[in-house]
Structure formats: structure tokens, C-alpha cells
Amino acid sequence: MTRKKILSVLWDYFILSVGTLLYCIAWDSFLIPNNIASGGLTGFCTIIQFASGGLIPMSYTFFALNVLLLIAGVAVLGKGFGLKTIYAVLLSSLLFRILPSFSFLQAVPGNFLYIDNRLLVPVVGGIIEAFGLGLILQRGGSTGGTDIVVLIINKFWPISPGKVYLYSDLVIIASVLLVPGKCFVDMLYGYVAMVTFSFMVDYVLLGSKTTIQVMVFSEKYEEIADYIIRKMDRGVTALKAVGWYTRKDRNVLLIMVRKSQLHELCKVIKEMDSKAFVSVSPASSVYGEGFDELKTGINRKSKKDIKG
């Protein structure tokens, strides 16, 4: 392995570690100390801990159930997925066991992280959980559980990760009502954490990948188009148009860029032609080279192939 490759691998595992730490803090600092169970396998294991009165720590069930799900993950997503997920599962299982011993990290009365408004607890916990898990998923890993299901589904179908979590967690959170002493409001707090998480995880995972459609009306369209192709590594399409007021033919540039590149593009356009007219609009889905892969589901053999 080259030095660059080694540093890239080390950086991936560093980000995985940071994401796993944030994910575990969300649970052990905010949700569990306040008797809130959100969704996913972690939420299911938390409910088991609540139901057993703490006799069955969630760290144990979290590790045991993930072993089974990892087998499915490796089989479908490959060894690269398996190695990073095994690392994240082992680290999170260890952190779930260790973090409760640091009582000062718990968001309870008397501690620095204490939040007086209980409704804000699942919101803060959901945001931290989503940010941590987003970092993990970006590096090709997972904390296991429903994360594995999400990655498997998203590999074949262009379904929002947040929506998969949202639907799968409904039943898990509702099951808290089966725990003695829990009531309807406990389930509501779990749903608050779930909704916050589902929206935030999409933002973390897809925010930097959001695609913007830009149309540029400028007399200096050639200079702008050349810069975009050579410096920004993006394609440009020149559309023939007619200015109805002047009745003159002109070229309009159609450009698809990532949201993170929009600032650079607008700056360049302004420097080259301060009088340019620019139209910017979000593009919900863009597939093709340089953007996302078109996913239509698992390939199925045609009837002709089966018969032949």
C-alpha cells in the first residue's frame, strides 16, 4: 500500500471513530438517562434494558444481535463494508459499556449537559445521533442494526435513508408501551427523537451532494463555459435561445453542479460578466456521470433468458 492509501484508510477509521463516539454519546448522555427510547436496533435494545430493570444492559444485546445482521451485510455489501462495520459495532459496544460510568456526561439535573426542557432532550439527542451516524455511513461503515438494512436497500433502490429509518422505527418505538411504567408520553418523546434523526441524517448524508441547476445568460458564455469544464470538472450545455425583446439569437448555458460548488461558480460568473443573468434552482435527482448512479432495483432475468 502506498503512503497516500494508508493515510486515506487511517482517515476513514478516524472519522468512523468520531462518528461512533457521537452516536453513543447521543444515547448514553441524552436519551437513556432520561428514559427515552428512540428507534433502530439501539432503541430496541434500550427497551429491553428498561423492561429488565437494567439487568440486561443494552450493550450486550446490541452486540449479540448485530453479529447476526453483520453476516447479511457482508454477504450483500462486501468485505469492505463488513470490516468497517465490525469496527464500528465493536467500538460502539465498548463505548455503550464504558460511557455510563462517566456520570458527568449524562444530561440529568446537576450536570453541565442537563436540559431543563425535557422536550428538547430527544431533539438534541436526535441531532447528535444523526450527525454521528451520518459520518459513519459516509465512510462506508455502519453501527449495525437497521443501518445495515438501510444500506442494503439504498444499494439497489434510490430511497431516502431517512425515510427507511422513519418507517422501520415506528413499531420499535411504539413497543415501549409494553414496558411496565411507561406511558403514551414516553412513546411521544421517542417519536420526537426519531423524526429529528430522520430529517437530520438526510441532511448530513445528502446535504453536500445536493445538485443545483444553473442557467446563465451572458455574452461571455464561452469564457464561462471553458472555466467550468477545465477548472470545475463539470459539463456545460449551450442551449440555443431567442431574446424576444431584442429578437436576437443567443446561447444560454445549462450547468449542473453540486451545492458546494455554487459559490465558486457564481463568483466566477460575476468576475467574467457582472451583467450576466443567472437562474438557480434545486434539482431533486440527477443521475449520470459525475453525479448519482441510476438505481432501478435488482436486475432480474428476462423470460427469454430463463427459457433459454
Side-chain angles (χ1 to χ4, degrees):
M1 295 178 66
T2 63
R3 180 183 178 184
K4 185 177 181 180
K5 180 66 174 179
I6 293 175
L7 291 176
S8 177
V9 172
L10 291 176
W11 179 250
D12 280 348
Y13 278 90
F14 172 75
I15 298 298
L16 281 171
S17 301
V18 173
T20 303
L21 178 61
L22 290 174
Y23 179 82
C24 294
I25 286 177
W27 284 90
D28 282 328
S29 294
F30 294 94
L31 301 181
I32 295 177
N34 288 280
N35 296 309
I36 298 173
S38 186
L41 180 66
T42 309
F44 178 72
C45 296
T46 300
I47 292 174
I48 293 178
Q49 177 175 306
F50 291 161
S52 65
L55 295 177
I56 306 177
M58 61 89 66
S59 58
Y60 292 163
T61 51
F62 177 84
F63 175 76
L65 293 176
N66 267 311
V67 170
L68 299 177
L69 290 172
L70 280 172
I71 297 175
V74 173
V76 176
L77 302 172
K79 295 181 180 179
F81 164 85
L83 291 175
K84 290 182 178 179
T85 299
I86 288 173
Y87 172 79
V89 168
L90 291 176
L91 181 59
S92 55
S93 298
L94 180 63
L95 290 173
F96 278 139
R97 186 62 180 167
I98 295 176
L99 287 177
S101 62
F102 296 95
S103 58
F104 66 91
L105 290 176
Q106 297 179 359
V108 296
N111 286 346
F112 176 76
L113 296 178
Y114 173 64
I115 300 175
D116 184 55
N117 188 336
R118 191 165 186 249
L119 182 60
L120 291 178
V121 174
V123 173
V124 174
I127 292 174
I128 297 175
E129 180 189 6
F131 190 76
L133 184 58
L135 293 177
I136 296 171
L137 293 176
Q138 282 179 345
R139 298 294 162 171
S142 165
T143 56
T146 52
D147 303 343
I148 297 177
V149 178
V150 168
L151 290 177
I152 292 175
I153 292 176
N154 198 242
K155 179 179 180 180
F156 301 109
W157 291 279
I159 301 175
S160 158
K163 288 182 179 179
V164 179
Y165 285 116
L166 185 64
Y167 299 145
S168 64
D169 291 348
L170 288 174
V171 176
I172 294 176
I173 296 175
S175 65
V176 75
L177 295 176
L178 301 175
V179 179
K182 296 295 182 181
C183 58
F184 182 71
V185 71
D186 295 306
M187 182 182 70
L188 289 182
Y189 283 129
Y191 283 136
V192 170
M194 177 198 71
V195 173
T196 303
F197 168 78
S198 64
F199 279 105
M200 284 302 299
V201 75
D202 273 350
Y203 177 80
V204 175
L205 287 175
L206 306 177
S208 62
K209 293 185 177 181
T210 301
T211 304
I212 302 295
Q213 177 179 287
V214 182
M215 298 188 74
V216 181
F217 302 77
S218 172
E219 297 295 335
K220 298 182 179 180
Y221 66 91
E222 293 183 354
E223 293 92 328
I224 297 173
D226 288 340
Y227 179 91
I228 294 170
I229 292 176
R230 296 172 183 173
K231 301 295 183 180
M232 299 183 66
D233 195 28
R234 287 298 181 191
V236 182
T237 301
L239 305 176
K240 295 295 182 180
V242 178
W244 204 246
Y245 180 77
T246 61
R247 298 296 201 273
K248 293 182 179 180
D249 294 336
R250 63 188 307 177
N251 287 298
V252 179
L253 300 181
L254 175 63
I255 311 155
M256 307 299 294
V257 296
R258 294 296 189 189
K259 186 177 181 180
S260 58
Q261 296 176 302
L262 181 60
H263 176 73
E264 178 187 356
L265 176 60
C266 292
K267 182 179 178 181
V268 169
I269 294 173
K270 185 176 180 180
E271 290 176 351
M272 292 184 175
D273 184 3
S274 60
K275 296 182 179 180
F277 181 83
V278 181
S279 172
V280 179
S281 58
S284 59
S285 299
V286 178
Y287 303 106
E289 185 176 355
F291 292 92
D292 298 325
E293 178 186 355
L294 184 61
K295 302 171 185 177
T296 57
I298 301 175
N299 293 329
R300 301 177 183 274
K301 292 183 177 180
S302 63
K303 294 181 179 180
K304 183 178 180 181
D305 292 336
I306 295 176
K307 292 179 179 180

